[in-house]
Amino acid sequence: MQELPGEFTTFDFIPGIPAPFNFALAILSNQKMLTLGEKIQTAPPLIPMLIEGQPFIDAQDELSVTEFMRKYGMPERINKEVFIAMAKALDFIDPDKLSMTVVLTAMNRFLNESNGLQMAFLDGNQPDRLCEPMKQHIESRGGKVVLNSPVKEIVTNDDGSIKELKMRSGKSVVADEYVSAMPVDIVKRMVPKKWANMPYFRQFDELEGIPVINLHMWFDRKLKAVDHLCFSRSPLLSVYADMSVTCKEYYDDDASMLELVFAPCSPLAGGSVNWISKSDEEIIDATMGELARLFPTEIAADEKWPATKNQGPDGEARLVKYAVVKVPRSVYAAIPGRNKYRPSQVTPIPHFTLAGDWTSQKFLGSMEGAVLGGKLAAEVVAKRAKGLPLPEIKEIQPHIVEAAAKHEAKDPPGVKGDGAIAFGGGATLGKKEEKLLREVDPSQFAAAA
């Protein structure tokens, strides 16, 4: 806690008590964050969510978290004590920039699902413990997983339907069904000229991925830790965990390995610095300064990291090594007013379906949203195969329809370069990658206003 450096506070959910009573009891039993009066003040604005459900949640998308708080008379301190951490954990954005729909979506799960706040970690690295079992599952049923085969172009027929996928290798792929799970920023670079004036695709212009940075930091000794994901109200850090405690593969009795999300990283998210443009050393120094402030009795004053210079004699932990993974375009920026532009999985193109956490579904841009978006896309494909009626295409805003008619269609720029960042992922940023990013996404290097 910021007022109690080095200490953690928790919301304890008692097993066996159903939602929403377990959630209410967890809030009431925490005596460190909000007073009883503040807790009582916080409850009435959430009642419409319980009564009206999803329609009320969706209607709050035009308001930021702080705007919603002030509209409904919630105490200002709940922003400092709760919503800052929630907003940064849910979408890497400060609460004055984040749509209230995102927070209400999460809270609705907490209030309606007894295990809505349950969290877990993989017991090892993702390629071995997540991706490989999925690959084996697909192959055991006759499927095939092809890697390192990027699409160069979606080739269309005269009527706009897909003729084939042209690969960078020169090969062409023809299929019965095409499903795209590309991030929105990558899809926008691949939309064929034949589709460019369709309102369905023009609404993508209203969505963009948000920058985020993941940090991996190894220390020379054990830090105070809990076996859980930790939420931070730091201006620079979002969520973090000590992997030497939470993950079997990295378990270590003697030294900590922290994984942290560094956010917000840009003015779009509420930050004052475009951190993607900063060096790894600058990012780690800023992080060490925050860790020193939050854990003053543990982090040592280290001349290598100037931000720790004011540390007292009690701190002894020093950084041994680190890795900085930059994701210039992560989940879509859930700023107010964006939810209505998230497209349905059904598209106007025959046999072409969209998946992805940014498509229209009840969860936010997240792992849960990605899974649900994929499930909804699979349902579309299955219904089409069985000749069943498909869901309606989500209503498109009138101003998008008008703008689409005036749009000057051009050939898509396509994806330039190789590697994870080129296709919307994250990676350590070397000189080659930075040069390419400056070319294709110069806003990441613009000076913050």
Side-chain angles (χ1 to χ4, degrees):
M1 294 184 67
Q2 297 187 81
E3 309 82 30
L4 301 169
E7 291 192 22
F8 297 92
T9 186
T10 62
F11 292 106
D12 298 315
F13 286 71
I14 300 175
I17 298 179
F21 305 107
N22 62 346
F23 182 74
L25 185 59
I27 297 294
L28 290 171
S29 61
N30 182 298
Q31 303 298 316
K32 292 184 177 180
M33 295 180 71
L34 297 172
T35 66
L36 179 60
E38 289 169 331
K39 293 171 185 176
I40 292 172
Q41 271 185 283
T42 300
L46 303 180
I47 293 175
M49 176 185 72
L50 293 174
I51 297 173
E52 300 176 37
Q54 200 63 41
F56 176 81
I57 293 172
D58 292 339
Q60 309 315 306
D61 188 53
E62 302 300 322
L63 298 175
S64 71
V65 175
T66 50
E67 288 170 340
F68 179 91
M69 285 177 51
R70 288 158 190 163
K71 177 180 178 179
Y72 287 93
M74 299 175 82
E76 287 291 329
R77 213 164 71 88
I78 193 175
N79 187 48
K80 176 184 177 184
E81 295 293 335
V82 178
F83 285 154
I84 288 177
M86 278 192 73
K88 288 156 68 74
L90 291 170
D91 204 63
F92 317 127
I93 299 180
D94 282 343
D96 61 331
K97 297 284 188 177
L98 181 67
S99 163
M100 189 62 189
T101 289
V102 175
V103 171
L104 290 177
T105 297
M107 295 187 77
N108 194 42
R109 288 195 67 193
F110 305 159
L111 288 167
N112 287 288
E113 302 176 21
S114 296
N115 63 348
L117 259 172
Q118 187 173 2
M119 299 179 190
F121 288 81
L122 289 173
D123 60 2
N125 65 82
Q126 290 187 23
D128 290 341
R129 302 299 296 132
L130 179 64
C131 300
E132 182 60 27
M134 292 170 64
K135 176 176 177 288
Q136 291 175 2
H137 179 82
I138 292 169
E139 292 176 340
S140 70
R141 285 155 176 78
K144 186 177 181 181
V145 177
V146 180
L147 303 177
N148 301 314
S149 300
V151 176
K152 179 181 180 181
E153 180 186 1
I154 301 172
V155 182
T156 60
N157 296 305
D158 291 340
D159 63 358
S161 61
I162 298 179
K163 178 181 179 181
E164 62 185 14
L165 299 181
K166 184 176 289 185
M167 315 302 286
R168 285 192 182 179
S169 64
K171 294 182 179 179
S172 294
V173 174
V174 178
D176 296 322
E177 294 285 342
Y178 300 88
V179 179
S180 168
M182 292 184 286
V184 63
D185 298 280
I186 304 304
V187 170
K188 287 191 286 188
R189 299 183 67 85
M190 298 293 291
V191 172
K193 187 175 182 179
K194 282 281 186 180
W195 303 354
N197 290 100
M198 294 183 181
Y200 178 91
F201 294 101
R202 285 275 59 82
Q203 66 186 329
F204 298 1
D205 296 338
E206 302 296 326
L207 302 171
E208 64 175 306
I210 201 162
V212 69
I213 299 172
N214 297 311
L215 305 177
H216 308 261
M217 303 174 68
W218 287 262
F219 287 86
D220 64 355
R221 65 197 63 220
K222 201 75 169 178
L223 302 173
K224 184 187 294 184
V226 294
D227 187 6
H228 208 283
L229 183 68
C230 297
F231 296 78
S232 170
R233 288 164 291 168
S234 156
L236 291 178
L237 305 179
S238 173
V239 293
Y240 68 94
D242 188 336
M243 302 301 282
S244 70
V245 175
T246 61
C247 181
K248 181 179 179 181
E249 182 174 330
Y250 303 110
Y251 188 79
D252 191 329
D253 280 325
D254 302 316
S256 286
M257 183 275 206
L258 298 187
E259 288 199 4
L260 311 96
V261 176
F262 188 99
C265 290
S266 72
L268 175 65
S272 58
V273 176
N274 268 335
W275 284 99
I276 294 290
S277 67
K278 300 300 181 180
S279 69
D280 290 357
E281 290 74 20
E282 288 174 301
I283 293 167
I284 292 296
D285 183 51
T287 302
M288 288 296 292
E290 280 300 291
L291 291 175
R293 184 175 67 85
L294 296 172
F295 303 101
T297 61
E298 297 190 77
I299 303 299
D302 189 339
E303 61 182 16
K304 186 175 181 180
W305 307 113
T308 66
K309 64 181 180 181
N310 294 324
Q311 282 298 89
D314 293 337
E316 296 181 340
R318 294 176 182 273
L319 189 64
V320 176
K321 63 177 181 177
Y322 61 84
V324 177
V325 179
K326 296 181 178 180
V327 190
R329 296 292 176 179
S330 178
V331 295
Y332 82 95
I335 56 179
R338 299 303 99 184
N339 205 41
K340 57 182 173 286
Y341 301 115
R342 296 171 72 184
S344 55
Q345 288 75 33
V346 177
T347 78
I349 306 303
H351 304 287
F352 177 66
T353 308
L354 274 189
D357 63 359
W358 60 281
T359 58
S360 186
Q361 35 83 16
K362 67 178 181 179
F363 296 149
L364 51 145
S366 60
M367 291 184 288
E368 296 87 349
V371 170
L372 182 55
K375 181 179 178 181
L376 294 172
E379 289 177 358
V380 170
V381 174
K383 286 180 177 179
R384 188 183 289 125
K386 291 184 176 182
L388 299 175
L390 300 181
E392 295 290 329
I393 291 178
K394 182 179 172 181
E395 181 183 1
I396 296 171
Q397 299 299 304
H399 73 96
I400 295 292
V401 176
E402 182 179 345
K406 299 176 182 178
H407 180 75
E408 181 183 350
K410 298 179 180 179
D411 290 326
V415 174
K416 187 171 184 179
D418 299 299
I421 287 179
F423 291 91
T428 54
L429 208 62
K431 291 183 178 180
K432 177 183 175 182
E433 292 81 10
E434 181 179 326
K435 181 180 179 181
L436 177 62
L437 186 61
R438 284 182 180 275
E439 181 181 344
V440 300
D441 197 357
S443 64
Q444 300 289 349
F445 299 88

